[in-house]
Amino acid sequence: MACKRGALIVLEGVDKAGKTTQCKKLVQALQQEGRAVEMMRFPERTTAIGQLISAYLENKSDLEDQTVHLLFSANRWELVPLMKKKLEQGTTLIVDRYAFSGAAFTSAKPGFSLDWCKKPDEGLPKPDLVMFLQLSPAEAALRGQFGEERYENSVFQKAVQQNYEQLMKDPSVKWQVINASQSIEDVHKDIITHSLNSINTAHNLPLGALWK
Ligand code: TMP
């Protein structure tokens, strides 16, 4: 390899856990150290597929649950060439949600197994680290009302949380649980420590394939 590759680092968690705030703080802190780092998020709503997903989430359209699940996955696959290029060039990617959201959210719907939900994302670039921002439903409720989009209610979020717990039992993925009930700064300190370790380790490892 001409240069050391970047790390693929994902933040996951239920709504209100602070994923987006922490992703932004992490990117800023790493960039300030002079590192090549960029943020990505899924769904990436700006693409044609992303716009279909966005309309669905905003209740402006209806889609079969299977259809939207596959669109979420296709939205990740369409960005794989870009992700691989950046990682090979040495840029670390900090990603707000990934295939784990896909599996945890759809399998919270009636009639969907976790195995079925994972299938379309098999073989995606495997994250070097997935940090799960852990926050109890009670603490999430204290952080204010849920928004207006689909899935933003406490019953659904509890089911999502249970599915994440199932996913975290898989030792083929490097999970790190972060206590998201701490202050924003303390959560940030934990996240940066784990990220720096992951960046240093990833340099010497080939990029893996998820769930394969
Ligand atoms: P956002 O609020 O982080 O933009 O995420 C939009 C919603 O989409 C959120 O409720 C989680 C859900 N989601 C899925 O159902 N499947 C997926 O694959 C992803 C990435 C998100």
Side-chain angles (χ1 to χ4, degrees), residues 41-43 45 57 72 76 97-98 101-102 105 150-151:
R41 65 179 309 161
F42 292 107
R45 301 187 192 218
L57 289 171
F72 272 116
R76 285 182 278 279
R97 294 191 190 281
Y98 198 51
S101 282
F105 277 75
R150 274 184 218 257
Y151 310 148

Side-chain angles (χ1 to χ4, degrees), residues 12 15 19-20 41-45 53 56-57 68-69 71-73 75-76 96-106 109 121 149-152 156-157 164:
E12 287 277 1
D15 283 6
K19 285 180 303 301
T20 307
R41 65 179 309 161
F42 292 107
E44 171 48 68
R45 301 187 192 218
I53 294 171
Y56 171 83
L57 289 171
V68 75
H69 184 71
L71 287 176
F72 272 116
S73 179
N75 185 228
R76 285 182 278 279
D96 186 352
R97 294 191 190 281
Y98 198 51
F100 314 97
S101 282
F105 277 75
T106 304
K109 295 179 175 180
D121 285 316
E149 288 201 333
R150 274 184 218 257
Y151 310 148
E152 294 185 331
F156 195 77
Q157 295 285 328
Y164 274 124

Side-chain angles (χ1 to χ4, degrees), residues 107-120:
S107 64
K109 295 179 175 180
F112 285 87
S113 73
L114 203 53
D115 276 349
W116 186 91
C117 294
K118 286 162 73 179
K119 280 280 172 222

